[in-house]
Amino acid sequence: GQQLNQSPQSMFIQEGEDVSMNCTSSSIFNTWLWYKQDPGEGPVLLIALYKAGELTSNGRLTAQFGITRKDSFLNISASIPSDVGIYFCAVQHGSSNTGKLIFGQGTTLQVKP
Amino acid sequence: EAQVTQNPRYLITVTGKKLTVTCSQNMNHEYMSWYRQDPGLGLRQIYYSMNVEVTDKGDVPEGYKVSRKEKRNFPLILESPSPNQTSLYFCASSYLGRDEQFFGPGTRLTVL
């Protein structure tokens, strides 16, 4: 089946550092999503990207939809302890009306105060 | 408060003992879905439903059943659980055609 590959698998950084993670696929997708899962909770949508080359920000988070439509990047600036969690990329599979999402394996972020 | 609820949150059971995990949403969403989360594998879709009485298999449906008799509820049924179904399960819902899925808090299932 189709797969999304996220890297790195995990990161352990110092508070205040910037973070960068990415997600790649062998297939083209028209919608890229980034979710965050806080410890002990379900994932929550952070950013949605709909246009190749699009750069979207949400506070300290910035995500980009790759120009080839086969990848996406998420950057977090000036990390803080509450950024800890698992970050998932996801894409829409098939028609947007199906609601079917494919998720990457996740990038686990730990922030040392 | 708009939310997706799941019960139970934690469950330890034995092989072969039928169980049901309930999921309910109060947002009038058409779309509901079940995922399992395993280390290194991310979230994999088990079953989904686009509306009442409409369900379809996701990527890992073997060993699971679902039903959608009412719009708000989407229970996950394990008729004969096995140890390889030990996992963290999430229910999610959304409006049809919208990207943002709202996830429940998760159910951690252990099958001995």
Side-chain angles (χ1 to χ4, degrees):
Chain A
Q2 289 154 329
Q3 281 190 324
L4 298 179
N5 296 309
Q6 283 188 248
S7 67
Q9 280 192 321
S10 62
M11 304 178 75
F12 191 89
I13 62 169
Q14 197 78 31
E15 182 177 0
E17 288 183 2
D18 295 342
V19 172
S20 185
M21 60 189 80
N22 68 65
C23 184
T24 61
S25 170
S26 57
S27 301
I28 290 173
F29 292 101
N30 294 319
T31 300
W32 286 80
L33 309 167
W34 285 94
Y35 280 81
K36 182 197 176 193
Q37 182 181 20
D38 287 328
E41 299 185 15
V44 173
L45 182 66
L46 295 174
I47 290 179
L49 301 158
Y50 300 103
K51 189 176 175 182
E54 178 183 9
L55 191 70
T56 297
S57 294
N58 179 3
R60 292 179 297 105
L61 275 60
T62 302
Q64 182 158 24
F65 188 155
I67 197 72
T68 63
R69 291 189 284 157
K70 292 183 177 181
D71 57 8
S72 179
F73 302 86
L74 177 69
N75 296 315
I76 305 172
S77 62
S79 59
I80 58 178
S82 63
D83 290 334
V84 163
I86 304 176
Y87 292 80
F88 291 102
C89 61
V91 293
Q92 282 276 358
H93 176 60
S95 163
S96 62
N97 283 333
T98 67
K100 182 171 169 60
L101 296 180
I102 300 172
F103 285 83
Q105 312 97 311
T107 293
T108 299
L109 178 64
Q110 298 183 58
V111 179
K112 184 177 180 181
Chain B
E1 181 191 353
Q3 59 183 349
V4 178
T5 57
Q6 295 179 227
N7 281 293
R9 293 291 311 277
Y10 302 91
L11 179 60
I12 300 174
T13 189
V14 295
T15 298
K17 187 176 181 182
K18 181 179 178 180
L19 66 92
T20 299
V21 184
T22 65
C23 172
S24 183
Q25 50 93 5
N26 62 1
M27 295 169 278
N28 203 35
H29 287 161
E30 299 91 1
Y31 183 90
M32 297 186 75
S33 180
W34 277 102
Y35 297 89
R36 59 179 290 173
Q37 182 178 10
D38 302 290
L41 297 177
L43 291 154
R44 293 180 293 166
Q45 190 176 53
I46 303 170
Y47 268 95
Y48 65 96
S49 169
M50 293 170 68
N51 217 323
V52 175
E53 301 293 0
V54 180
T55 63
D56 209 347
K57 295 177 181 179
D59 298 314
V60 288
E62 293 77 21
Y64 304 95
K65 284 174 57 177
V66 292
S67 69
R68 188 92 182 272
K69 293 183 170 53
E70 305 164 287
K71 196 171 187 178
R72 63 185 295 128
N73 296 323
F74 190 45
L76 179 70
I77 304 155
L78 284 72
E79 295 268 5
S80 182
S82 61
N84 65 11
Q85 292 178 298
T86 292
S87 187
L88 180 58
Y89 291 87
F90 287 100
C91 180
S93 72
S94 72
Y95 291 113
L96 208 56
R98 298 279 188 91
D99 300 310
E100 182 170 15
Q101 292 191 11
F102 294 84
F103 283 79
T107 295
R108 186 165 291 280
L109 172 66
T110 301
V111 183
L112 302 174

mmCIF file of all heavy atoms in Angstrom, chain B residues 66-107:
data_model
loop_
_atom_site.group_PDB
_atom_site.id
_atom_site.type_symbol
_atom_site.label_atom_id
_atom_site.label_comp_id
_atom_site.label_asym_id
_atom_site.label_seq_id
_atom_site.Cartn_x
_atom_site.Cartn_y
_atom_site.Cartn_z
ATOM 1 N N VAL B 66 -17.474 -3.543 12.684
ATOM 2 C CA VAL B 66 -18.039 -2.271 13.115
ATOM 3 C C VAL B 66 -19.508 -2.242 12.724
ATOM 4 O O VAL B 66 -19.979 -3.062 11.933
ATOM 5 C CB VAL B 66 -17.332 -1.051 12.459
ATOM 6 C CG1 VAL B 66 -15.901 -0.906 12.949
ATOM 7 C CG2 VAL B 66 -17.380 -1.157 10.940
ATOM 8 N N SER B 67 -20.213 -1.290 13.286
ATOM 9 C CA SER B 67 -21.584 -1.035 12.853
ATOM 10 C C SER B 67 -21.861 0.451 12.979
ATOM 11 O O SER B 67 -21.229 1.152 13.776
ATOM 12 C CB SER B 67 -22.588 -1.840 13.678
ATOM 13 O OG SER B 67 -22.643 -1.352 15.011
ATOM 14 N N ARG B 68 -22.796 0.952 12.172
ATOM 15 C CA ARG B 68 -23.158 2.374 12.234
ATOM 16 C C ARG B 68 -24.685 2.470 12.102
ATOM 17 O O ARG B 68 -25.244 2.779 11.065
ATOM 18 C CB ARG B 68 -22.472 3.153 11.108
ATOM 19 C CG ARG B 68 -22.654 4.672 11.231
ATOM 20 C CD ARG B 68 -21.572 5.320 11.988
ATOM 21 N NE ARG B 68 -21.756 6.743 12.148
ATOM 22 C CZ ARG B 68 -21.338 7.667 11.271
ATOM 23 N NH1 ARG B 68 -20.737 7.292 10.143
ATOM 24 N NH2 ARG B 68 -21.522 8.946 11.531
ATOM 25 N N LYS B 69 -25.333 2.189 13.237
ATOM 26 C CA LYS B 69 -26.793 2.221 13.269
ATOM 27 C C LYS B 69 -27.313 3.629 13.547
ATOM 28 O O LYS B 69 -28.452 3.964 13.199
ATOM 29 C CB LYS B 69 -27.324 1.241 14.302
ATOM 30 C CG LYS B 69 -27.057 -0.225 13.943
ATOM 31 C CD LYS B 69 -27.672 -1.157 14.959
ATOM 32 C CE LYS B 69 -27.630 -2.600 14.498
ATOM 33 N NZ LYS B 69 -26.303 -3.066 14.112
ATOM 34 N N GLU B 70 -26.512 4.427 14.211
ATOM 35 C CA GLU B 70 -26.883 5.808 14.500
ATOM 36 C C GLU B 70 -25.719 6.684 14.067
ATOM 37 O O GLU B 70 -24.571 6.244 14.073
ATOM 38 C CB GLU B 70 -27.116 6.012 15.993
ATOM 39 C CG GLU B 70 -28.116 5.095 16.618
ATOM 40 C CD GLU B 70 -27.970 5.121 18.139
ATOM 41 O OE1 GLU B 70 -26.991 4.552 18.633
ATOM 42 O OE2 GLU B 70 -28.826 5.737 18.791
ATOM 43 N N LYS B 71 -26.021 7.930 13.762
ATOM 44 C CA LYS B 71 -24.984 8.823 13.258
ATOM 45 C C LYS B 71 -23.899 9.078 14.294
ATOM 46 O O LYS B 71 -22.726 9.217 13.963
ATOM 47 C CB LYS B 71 -25.624 10.153 12.836
ATOM 48 C CG LYS B 71 -24.735 11.009 11.959
ATOM 49 C CD LYS B 71 -25.515 12.190 11.422
ATOM 50 C CE LYS B 71 -24.698 12.974 10.402
ATOM 51 N NZ LYS B 71 -25.466 14.109 9.839
ATOM 52 N N ARG B 72 -24.271 9.149 15.564
ATOM 53 C CA ARG B 72 -23.302 9.546 16.576
ATOM 54 C C ARG B 72 -22.413 8.401 17.070
ATOM 55 O O ARG B 72 -21.384 8.648 17.663
ATOM 56 C CB ARG B 72 -24.032 10.185 17.756
ATOM 57 C CG ARG B 72 -24.980 9.258 18.483
ATOM 58 C CD ARG B 72 -25.743 10.013 19.569
ATOM 59 N NE ARG B 72 -24.848 10.480 20.601
ATOM 60 C CZ ARG B 72 -24.788 11.747 21.029
ATOM 61 N NH1 ARG B 72 -25.573 12.660 20.510
ATOM 62 N NH2 ARG B 72 -23.963 12.098 21.973
ATOM 63 N N ASN B 73 -22.806 7.156 16.856
ATOM 64 C CA ASN B 73 -22.077 6.027 17.450
ATOM 65 C C ASN B 73 -21.435 5.127 16.400
ATOM 66 O O ASN B 73 -22.028 4.846 15.357
ATOM 67 C CB ASN B 73 -23.028 5.181 18.297
ATOM 68 C CG ASN B 73 -23.563 5.951 19.487
ATOM 69 O OD1 ASN B 73 -22.857 6.736 20.089
ATOM 70 N ND2 ASN B 73 -24.837 5.728 19.811
ATOM 71 N N PHE B 74 -20.249 4.639 16.732
ATOM 72 C CA PHE B 74 -19.510 3.788 15.784
ATOM 73 C C PHE B 74 -18.693 2.782 16.601
ATOM 74 O O PHE B 74 -17.484 2.934 16.770
ATOM 75 C CB PHE B 74 -18.612 4.661 14.910
ATOM 76 C CG PHE B 74 -17.989 3.948 13.742
ATOM 77 C CD1 PHE B 74 -18.717 3.097 12.937
ATOM 78 C CD2 PHE B 74 -16.645 4.163 13.424
ATOM 79 C CE1 PHE B 74 -18.146 2.458 11.841
ATOM 80 C CE2 PHE B 74 -16.052 3.537 12.338
ATOM 81 C CZ PHE B 74 -16.802 2.687 11.551
ATOM 82 N N PRO B 75 -19.332 1.745 17.141
ATOM 83 C CA PRO B 75 -18.602 0.795 17.980
ATOM 84 C C PRO B 75 -17.663 -0.113 17.192
ATOM 85 O O PRO B 75 -17.951 -0.466 16.046
ATOM 86 C CB PRO B 75 -19.728 -0.016 18.632
ATOM 87 C CG PRO B 75 -20.875 0.098 17.670
ATOM 88 C CD PRO B 75 -20.765 1.457 17.050
ATOM 89 N N LEU B 76 -16.565 -0.469 17.834
ATOM 90 C CA LEU B 76 -15.586 -1.400 17.267
ATOM 91 C C LEU B 76 -15.722 -2.721 18.017
ATOM 92 O O LEU B 76 -15.648 -2.738 19.246
ATOM 93 C CB LEU B 76 -14.168 -0.848 17.421
ATOM 94 C CG LEU B 76 -13.034 -1.729 16.892
ATOM 95 C CD1 LEU B 76 -13.060 -1.788 15.365
ATOM 96 C CD2 LEU B 76 -11.680 -1.192 17.381
ATOM 97 N N ILE B 77 -15.907 -3.798 17.290
ATOM 98 C CA ILE B 77 -16.156 -5.105 17.885
ATOM 99 C C ILE B 77 -15.028 -6.062 17.542
ATOM 100 O O ILE B 77 -14.643 -6.191 16.368
ATOM 101 C CB ILE B 77 -17.493 -5.678 17.362
ATOM 102 C CG1 ILE B 77 -18.630 -4.696 17.649
ATOM 103 C CG2 ILE B 77 -17.783 -7.048 17.998
ATOM 104 C CD1 ILE B 77 -19.794 -4.824 16.716
ATOM 105 N N LEU B 78 -14.509 -6.708 18.586
ATOM 106 C CA LEU B 78 -13.530 -7.770 18.389
ATOM 107 C C LEU B 78 -14.201 -9.064 18.818
ATOM 108 O O LEU B 78 -14.400 -9.301 20.010
ATOM 109 C CB LEU B 78 -12.257 -7.515 19.207
ATOM 110 C CG LEU B 78 -11.295 -6.443 18.681
ATOM 111 C CD1 LEU B 78 -11.861 -5.040 18.873
ATOM 112 C CD2 LEU B 78 -9.935 -6.574 19.353
ATOM 113 N N GLU B 79 -14.585 -9.882 17.856
ATOM 114 C CA GLU B 79 -15.356 -11.083 18.148
ATOM 115 C C GLU B 79 -14.519 -12.110 18.917
ATOM 116 O O GLU B 79 -14.995 -12.769 19.831
ATOM 117 C CB GLU B 79 -15.854 -11.723 16.845
ATOM 118 C CG GLU B 79 -16.848 -10.875 16.078
ATOM 119 C CD GLU B 79 -18.289 -11.192 16.444
ATOM 120 O OE1 GLU B 79 -18.509 -12.013 17.367
ATOM 121 O OE2 GLU B 79 -19.201 -10.612 15.818
ATOM 122 N N SER B 80 -13.263 -12.249 18.521
ATOM 123 C CA SER B 80 -12.380 -13.216 19.175
ATOM 124 C C SER B 80 -10.972 -12.612 19.225
ATOM 125 O O SER B 80 -10.115 -12.926 18.390
ATOM 126 C CB SER B 80 -12.375 -14.541 18.388
ATOM 127 O OG SER B 80 -11.557 -15.504 19.042
ATOM 128 N N PRO B 81 -10.751 -11.752 20.210
ATOM 129 C CA PRO B 81 -9.478 -11.017 20.257
ATOM 130 C C PRO B 81 -8.278 -11.951 20.356
ATOM 131 O O PRO B 81 -8.343 -13.027 20.981
ATOM 132 C CB PRO B 81 -9.607 -10.179 21.531
ATOM 133 C CG PRO B 81 -11.063 -10.103 21.806
ATOM 134 C CD PRO B 81 -11.653 -11.385 21.301
ATOM 135 N N SER B 82 -7.176 -11.516 19.755
ATOM 136 C CA SER B 82 -5.923 -12.259 19.836
ATOM 137 C C SER B 82 -4.825 -11.300 20.291
ATOM 138 O O SER B 82 -4.974 -10.074 20.186
ATOM 139 C CB SER B 82 -5.567 -12.863 18.485
ATOM 140 O OG SER B 82 -5.393 -11.844 17.527
ATOM 141 N N PRO B 83 -3.719 -11.850 20.799
ATOM 142 C CA PRO B 83 -2.646 -10.979 21.320
ATOM 143 C C PRO B 83 -2.130 -9.962 20.311
ATOM 144 O O PRO B 83 -1.690 -8.874 20.704
ATOM 145 C CB PRO B 83 -1.562 -11.988 21.725
ATOM 146 C CG PRO B 83 -2.331 -13.205 22.125
ATOM 147 C CD PRO B 83 -3.462 -13.283 21.143
ATOM 148 N N ASN B 84 -2.178 -10.262 19.021
ATOM 149 C CA ASN B 84 -1.673 -9.289 18.035
ATOM 150 C C ASN B 84 -2.615 -8.100 17.856
ATOM 151 O O ASN B 84 -2.331 -7.175 17.074
ATOM 152 C CB ASN B 84 -1.362 -9.962 16.690
ATOM 153 C CG ASN B 84 -2.589 -10.527 16.006
ATOM 154 O OD1 ASN B 84 -3.727 -10.252 16.407
ATOM 155 N ND2 ASN B 84 -2.385 -11.314 14.972
ATOM 156 N N GLN B 85 -3.736 -8.120 18.567
ATOM 157 C CA GLN B 85 -4.635 -6.964 18.564
ATOM 158 C C GLN B 85 -4.397 -6.057 19.777
ATOM 159 O O GLN B 85 -5.113 -5.071 19.971
ATOM 160 C CB GLN B 85 -6.099 -7.415 18.509
ATOM 161 C CG GLN B 85 -6.432 -8.048 17.159
ATOM 162 C CD GLN B 85 -7.851 -8.544 17.090
ATOM 163 O OE1 GLN B 85 -8.252 -9.442 17.857
ATOM 164 N NE2 GLN B 85 -8.634 -7.998 16.177
ATOM 165 N N THR B 86 -3.388 -6.393 20.557
ATOM 166 C CA THR B 86 -2.946 -5.497 21.623
ATOM 167 C C THR B 86 -2.424 -4.228 20.971
ATOM 168 O O THR B 86 -1.506 -4.268 20.150
ATOM 169 C CB THR B 86 -1.838 -6.167 22.453
ATOM 170 O OG1 THR B 86 -2.400 -7.253 23.179
ATOM 171 C CG2 THR B 86 -1.216 -5.173 23.426
ATOM 172 N N SER B 87 -3.035 -3.095 21.338
ATOM 173 C CA SER B 87 -2.691 -1.851 20.648
ATOM 174 C C SER B 87 -3.398 -0.687 21.317
ATOM 175 O O SER B 87 -4.184 -0.869 22.250
ATOM 176 C CB SER B 87 -3.122 -1.939 19.176
ATOM 177 O OG SER B 87 -2.663 -0.823 18.431
ATOM 178 N N LEU B 88 -3.121 0.505 20.806
ATOM 179 C CA LEU B 88 -3.824 1.722 21.211
ATOM 180 C C LEU B 88 -4.786 2.082 20.085
ATOM 181 O O LEU B 88 -4.374 2.246 18.937
ATOM 182 C CB LEU B 88 -2.815 2.852 21.443
ATOM 183 C CG LEU B 88 -3.353 4.217 21.864
ATOM 184 C CD1 LEU B 88 -4.157 4.113 23.155
ATOM 185 C CD2 LEU B 88 -2.201 5.196 22.041
ATOM 186 N N TYR B 89 -6.069 2.179 20.425
ATOM 187 C CA TYR B 89 -7.098 2.393 19.411
ATOM 188 C C TYR B 89 -7.675 3.798 19.524
ATOM 189 O O TYR B 89 -7.975 4.271 20.622
ATOM 190 C CB TYR B 89 -8.225 1.369 19.586
ATOM 191 C CG TYR B 89 -7.799 -0.030 19.239
ATOM 192 C CD1 TYR B 89 -7.200 -0.851 20.190
ATOM 193 C CD2 TYR B 89 -7.979 -0.529 17.953
ATOM 194 C CE1 TYR B 89 -6.787 -2.131 19.864
ATOM 195 C CE2 TYR B 89 -7.573 -1.814 17.615
ATOM 196 C CZ TYR B 89 -6.974 -2.607 18.584
ATOM 197 O OH TYR B 89 -6.555 -3.875 18.251
ATOM 198 N N PHE B 90 -7.858 4.427 18.360
ATOM 199 C CA PHE B 90 -8.454 5.752 18.314
ATOM 200 C C PHE B 90 -9.663 5.761 17.385
ATOM 201 O O PHE B 90 -9.620 5.218 16.284
ATOM 202 C CB PHE B 90 -7.456 6.790 17.795
ATOM 203 C CG PHE B 90 -6.384 7.144 18.772
ATOM 204 C CD1 PHE B 90 -5.122 6.586 18.665
ATOM 205 C CD2 PHE B 90 -6.640 8.034 19.801
ATOM 206 C CE1 PHE B 90 -4.130 6.913 19.573
ATOM 207 C CE2 PHE B 90 -5.658 8.370 20.716
ATOM 208 C CZ PHE B 90 -4.401 7.803 20.605
ATOM 209 N N CYS B 91 -10.709 6.419 17.855
ATOM 210 C CA CYS B 91 -11.864 6.720 17.033
ATOM 211 C C CYS B 91 -11.741 8.174 16.590
ATOM 212 O O CYS B 91 -11.227 9.011 17.344
ATOM 213 C CB CYS B 91 -13.141 6.511 17.848
ATOM 214 S SG CYS B 91 -14.652 6.859 16.955
ATOM 215 N N ALA B 92 -12.190 8.479 15.378
ATOM 216 C CA ALA B 92 -12.125 9.845 14.874
ATOM 217 C C ALA B 92 -13.389 10.144 14.079
ATOM 218 O O ALA B 92 -14.039 9.230 13.562
ATOM 219 C CB ALA B 92 -10.893 10.045 13.991
ATOM 220 N N SER B 93 -13.724 11.428 13.988
ATOM 221 C CA SER B 93 -14.889 11.811 13.190
ATOM 222 C C SER B 93 -14.621 13.126 12.483
ATOM 223 O O SER B 93 -13.750 13.912 12.900
ATOM 224 C CB SER B 93 -16.141 11.914 14.066
ATOM 225 O OG SER B 93 -16.079 13.055 14.909
ATOM 226 N N SER B 94 -15.378 13.366 11.421
ATOM 227 C CA SER B 94 -15.249 14.631 10.694
ATOM 228 C C SER B 94 -16.496 14.838 9.840
ATOM 229 O O SER B 94 -17.272 13.911 9.610
ATOM 230 C CB SER B 94 -14.001 14.630 9.802
ATOM 231 O OG SER B 94 -14.186 13.780 8.688
ATOM 232 N N TYR B 95 -16.655 16.077 9.352
ATOM 233 C CA TYR B 95 -17.646 16.310 8.317
ATOM 234 C C TYR B 95 -17.115 15.697 7.023
ATOM 235 O O TYR B 95 -15.912 15.733 6.761
ATOM 236 C CB TYR B 95 -17.883 17.808 8.114
ATOM 237 C CG TYR B 95 -18.572 18.467 9.278
ATOM 238 C CD1 TYR B 95 -17.909 19.405 10.072
ATOM 239 C CD2 TYR B 95 -19.893 18.148 9.595
ATOM 240 C CE1 TYR B 95 -18.546 20.008 11.141
ATOM 241 C CE2 TYR B 95 -20.538 18.756 10.661
ATOM 242 C CZ TYR B 95 -19.850 19.674 11.432
ATOM 243 O OH TYR B 95 -20.478 20.263 12.493
ATOM 244 N N LEU B 96 -17.994 15.140 6.236
ATOM 245 C CA LEU B 96 -17.577 14.521 4.990
ATOM 246 C C LEU B 96 -16.955 15.577 4.085
ATOM 247 O O LEU B 96 -17.502 16.662 3.918
ATOM 248 C CB LEU B 96 -18.786 13.883 4.308
ATOM 249 C CG LEU B 96 -18.507 12.682 3.405
ATOM 250 C CD1 LEU B 96 -17.772 11.604 4.161
ATOM 251 C CD2 LEU B 96 -19.818 12.148 2.860
ATOM 252 N N GLY B 97 -15.797 15.266 3.509
ATOM 253 C CA GLY B 97 -15.133 16.201 2.617
ATOM 254 C C GLY B 97 -14.214 17.191 3.317
ATOM 255 O O GLY B 97 -13.513 17.947 2.673
ATOM 256 N N ARG B 98 -14.232 17.186 4.651
ATOM 257 C CA ARG B 98 -13.334 18.080 5.403
ATOM 258 C C ARG B 98 -12.092 17.303 5.829
ATOM 259 O O ARG B 98 -12.148 16.114 6.108
ATOM 260 C CB ARG B 98 -14.042 18.614 6.651
ATOM 261 C CG ARG B 98 -15.258 19.449 6.360
ATOM 262 C CD ARG B 98 -14.884 20.871 5.994
ATOM 263 N NE ARG B 98 -16.059 21.724 5.896
ATOM 264 C CZ ARG B 98 -16.557 22.415 6.902
ATOM 265 N NH1 ARG B 98 -15.985 22.350 8.095
ATOM 266 N NH2 ARG B 98 -17.635 23.152 6.725
ATOM 267 N N ASP B 99 -10.962 18.018 5.902
ATOM 268 C CA ASP B 99 -9.714 17.344 6.233
ATOM 269 C C ASP B 99 -9.533 17.105 7.726
ATOM 270 O O ASP B 99 -8.866 16.166 8.133
ATOM 271 C CB ASP B 99 -8.527 18.177 5.739
ATOM 272 C CG ASP B 99 -8.596 18.367 4.245
ATOM 273 O OD1 ASP B 99 -8.761 17.367 3.540
ATOM 274 O OD2 ASP B 99 -8.499 19.516 3.797
ATOM 275 N N GLU B 100 -10.075 17.987 8.559
ATOM 276 C CA GLU B 100 -9.792 17.884 9.982
ATOM 277 C C GLU B 100 -10.624 16.783 10.624
ATOM 278 O O GLU B 100 -11.846 16.876 10.699
ATOM 279 C CB GLU B 100 -10.062 19.199 10.689
ATOM 280 C CG GLU B 100 -9.726 19.134 12.178
ATOM 281 C CD GLU B 100 -9.746 20.483 12.847
ATOM 282 O OE1 GLU B 100 -10.300 21.430 12.240
ATOM 283 O OE2 GLU B 100 -9.224 20.604 13.966
ATOM 284 N N GLN B 101 -9.941 15.753 11.085
ATOM 285 C CA GLN B 101 -10.602 14.705 11.835
ATOM 286 C C GLN B 101 -10.364 14.951 13.317
ATOM 287 O O GLN B 101 -9.266 15.307 13.738
ATOM 288 C CB GLN B 101 -10.054 13.332 11.425
ATOM 289 C CG GLN B 101 -10.443 12.963 10.000
ATOM 290 C CD GLN B 101 -10.147 11.520 9.647
ATOM 291 O OE1 GLN B 101 -9.832 10.702 10.507
ATOM 292 N NE2 GLN B 101 -10.250 11.198 8.375
ATOM 293 N N PHE B 102 -11.418 14.755 14.106
ATOM 294 C CA PHE B 102 -11.349 14.941 15.551
ATOM 295 C C PHE B 102 -11.217 13.560 16.186
ATOM 296 O O PHE B 102 -12.051 12.685 15.942
ATOM 297 C CB PHE B 102 -12.604 15.650 16.059
ATOM 298 C CG PHE B 102 -12.713 17.062 15.559
ATOM 299 C CD1 PHE B 102 -13.263 17.329 14.317
ATOM 300 C CD2 PHE B 102 -12.268 18.123 16.330
ATOM 301 C CE1 PHE B 102 -13.351 18.631 13.834
ATOM 302 C CE2 PHE B 102 -12.363 19.430 15.868
ATOM 303 C CZ PHE B 102 -12.893 19.678 14.626
ATOM 304 N N PHE B 103 -10.184 13.424 16.997
ATOM 305 C CA PHE B 103 -9.880 12.133 17.574
ATOM 306 C C PHE B 103 -10.370 12.028 19.018
ATOM 307 O O PHE B 103 -10.366 13.009 19.765
ATOM 308 C CB PHE B 103 -8.366 11.891 17.564
ATOM 309 C CG PHE B 103 -7.833 11.514 16.205
ATOM 310 C CD1 PHE B 103 -7.621 12.477 15.238
ATOM 311 C CD2 PHE B 103 -7.565 10.190 15.902
ATOM 312 C CE1 PHE B 103 -7.135 12.136 13.976
ATOM 313 C CE2 PHE B 103 -7.071 9.832 14.653
ATOM 314 C CZ PHE B 103 -6.861 10.803 13.693
ATOM 315 N N GLY B 104 -10.758 10.809 19.393
ATOM 316 C CA GLY B 104 -11.055 10.523 20.781
ATOM 317 C C GLY B 104 -9.764 10.385 21.574
ATOM 318 O O GLY B 104 -8.672 10.462 21.024
ATOM 319 N N PRO B 105 -9.876 10.138 22.891
ATOM 320 C CA PRO B 105 -8.707 10.080 23.759
ATOM 321 C C PRO B 105 -7.929 8.775 23.661
ATOM 322 O O PRO B 105 -6.835 8.670 24.210
ATOM 323 C CB PRO B 105 -9.301 10.251 25.154
ATOM 324 C CG PRO B 105 -10.668 9.687 25.030
ATOM 325 C CD PRO B 105 -11.136 10.023 23.642
ATOM 326 N N GLY B 106 -8.492 7.774 22.990
ATOM 327 C CA GLY B 106 -7.781 6.512 22.838
ATOM 328 C C GLY B 106 -8.228 5.444 23.827
ATOM 329 O O GLY B 106 -8.688 5.750 24.931
ATOM 330 N N THR B 107 -8.123 4.188 23.399
ATOM 331 C CA THR B 107 -8.392 3.022 24.250
ATOM 332 C C THR B 107 -7.188 2.102 24.161
ATOM 333 O O THR B 107 -6.833 1.649 23.073
ATOM 334 C CB THR B 107 -9.650 2.277 23.767
ATOM 335 O OG1 THR B 107 -10.795 3.111 23.932
ATOM 336 C CG2 THR B 107 -9.837 0.981 24.548
#
